[in-house]
Amino acid sequence: MRVGVIGLGIMGAPMAMHLHRAGLLAAVYNRTKSKAEPFEKLGVYVASSPADLAQRVDVVIIMVSDAPDVEQALFGSRGVVEGAKPGLVVVDMSTNSPEWARRFAERLAQYGVKFLDAPVTGGQKGAIEGTLTIMVGGDEELFQKLLPVFKAFGKTVVHVGPVGYGQAMKLVNQIVIALNTIAMVEGLRLAKALGLDIDKVAQVLFSGAAKSGSIELYLPKLLKGDLSPGFKAAHLKKDLAYAMEIANKLNISLPGAALALELYKKMVERGLGELGIHALSEIY
C-alpha cells in the first residue's frame, strides 16, 4: 500500500516517519511547507495539495487539528476528492466527533472513497516511540486490510465498531485524561502547600494506585518546569467540548467533564492554549 499523510504537526510528523521506515510512505502534505522538508530530504514526494497527494496513494491519513480542517483537506479547493480515484481509503486520525465522522463517510462515499475514523492516544511521546493506541471505527474487513499501516506507529490497535465509534471512544478517553490531569495538578498543589518532598510525592504517584498515563507522561515534565506540549491544552478543550455536546444531547450528567472543560477554557482564555495539558497548573 502507498500511504500519504496530510498534517505534519506534533503527532503527524513522527507517525509519517514510522510509515517511511516501514516502506509505506509515498507522499506527504502540510500547509506550512517547511514541515515537509525533512521528508523531502529522505526522498518522499511532497505534494502541492491534498488532491495531488490523493492521486499518488492508496491510503490518505489525515492528522490535523479539528473537523473544519479535515473538511477543508477533503472537500476544499484542491482537496482530496479532486484527486481521488474509486477505492481510495481516507483515514481520519484527528479527533472530532462521531457526527463529523459519519458525515465525512457519507460524503466520501459519493466519490467511491472509503473511510475509517481512527483517532489515537499516547501523545507526542507515543507517536515518536511508535506505541500509540489507535481506536478504529468503520468496516472491519477494511480495518484488517489496513492493520500493517496502523501497526507501523501503533502498539495497541482496536476495532471498536462502525464509522463514528472511533471518535466516540476517543472522547471517552479524553474525559479520563482530563480528569487524571486535574487530579495530578491538584495533588501536587496540596503537596507543595504541605511542604512535602516533591520527588518522594512523585515516587508514590508513579508506583501506587493513583498512577495513570497522565502521571507517567506529564509529571516528569511538570517537575522540570517543562510546559511544552506533548498534547496541546487548546486541543483537549476542543475534545471536551465535543464530549459535552454529546452528553447534553443524550441528557446525561458528566459533572467532572464539565469542570474539566471550564478549566481548559480558562487556559485558552488566558493565552495558554498552546502549552501542554499539564500546564493546567498555571491557572491555579
Side-chain angles (χ1 to χ4, degrees):
M1 284 178 284
R2 295 168 298 165
V3 181
V5 175
I6 296 174
L8 301 172
I10 287 174
M11 301 293 290
M15 289 163 62
M17 197 59 73
H18 283 294
L19 287 167
H20 173 68
R21 292 182 188 123
L24 296 169
L25 187 66
V28 294
Y29 172 77
N30 196 78
R31 285 183 298 189
T32 305
K33 194 172 180 181
S34 60
K35 291 186 178 181
E37 287 175 1
F39 294 93
E40 190 170 29
K41 290 175 182 176
L42 292 170
V44 178
Y45 179 77
V46 177
S48 60
S49 66
D52 179 28
L53 179 138
Q55 289 173 340
R56 298 169 181 273
V57 300
D58 307 303
V59 179
V60 175
I61 287 176
I62 300 180
M63 179 55 94
V64 292
S65 297
D66 199 356
D69 303 299
V70 179
E71 186 173 42
Q72 179 66 27
L74 291 174
F75 307 106
S77 175
R78 297 295 293 153
V80 166
V81 294
E82 292 187 27
K85 52 191 178 296
L88 180 71
V89 179
V90 167
V91 185
D92 179 18
M93 306 196 80
S94 315
T95 301
N96 39 78
S97 73
E99 185 178 338
W100 274 107
R102 288 188 283 268
R103 196 179 305 168
F104 292 144
E106 289 168 4
R107 291 177 68 182
L108 287 170
Q110 298 172 16
Y111 298 87
V113 176
K114 300 172 184 178
F115 179 83
L116 295 174
D117 56 306
V120 305
T121 186
Q124 183 184 33
K125 184 174 185 288
I128 291 170
E129 295 176 356
T131 57
L132 293 170
T133 294
I134 307 170
M135 303 149 266
V136 187
D139 179 74
E140 188 165 8
E141 186 177 339
L142 183 59
F143 162 76
Q144 293 292 341
K145 182 180 177 183
L146 263 67
L147 265 178
V149 174
F150 295 133
K151 287 186 175 179
F153 48 77
K155 183 178 180 181
T156 303
V157 187
V158 185
H159 181 256
V160 295
V163 166
Y165 275 52
Q167 296 294 355
M169 187 69 78
K170 178 64 183 285
L171 295 181
V172 171
N173 182 79
Q174 298 306 76
I175 289 174
V176 176
I177 285 176
L179 294 176
N180 279 342
T181 305
I182 292 170
M184 174 184 67
V185 167
E186 293 200 356
L188 281 180
R189 181 167 170 76
L190 180 60
K192 289 176 182 177
L194 291 169
L196 292 173
D197 183 321
I198 297 302
D199 288 334
K200 291 179 180 177
V201 171
Q203 184 181 356
V204 170
L205 294 180
F206 281 133
S207 59
K211 67 180 178 181
S212 68
S214 291
I215 286 172
E216 290 177 4
L217 285 170
Y218 299 118
L219 183 54
K221 296 185 77 170
L222 264 182
L223 296 182
K224 291 188 292 186
D226 178 3
L227 302 181
S228 62
F231 181 51
K232 292 180 180 179
H235 292 171
L236 184 54
K237 174 246 175 187
K238 175 260 298 181
D239 298 347
L240 290 167
Y242 279 126
M244 289 308 301
E245 182 182 340
I246 292 170
N248 292 334
K249 284 181 180 178
L250 295 174
N251 197 29
I252 60 172
S253 175
L254 298 176
L259 169 64
L261 177 56
E262 289 308 308
L263 290 172
Y264 280 99
K265 275 183 179 177
K266 285 183 181 178
M267 277 196 74
V268 173
E269 287 166 4
R270 296 185 189 183
L272 305 173
E274 295 299 298
L275 298 178
I277 63 172
H278 57 297
L280 183 65
S281 57
E282 293 297 291
I283 70 164
Y284 280 80

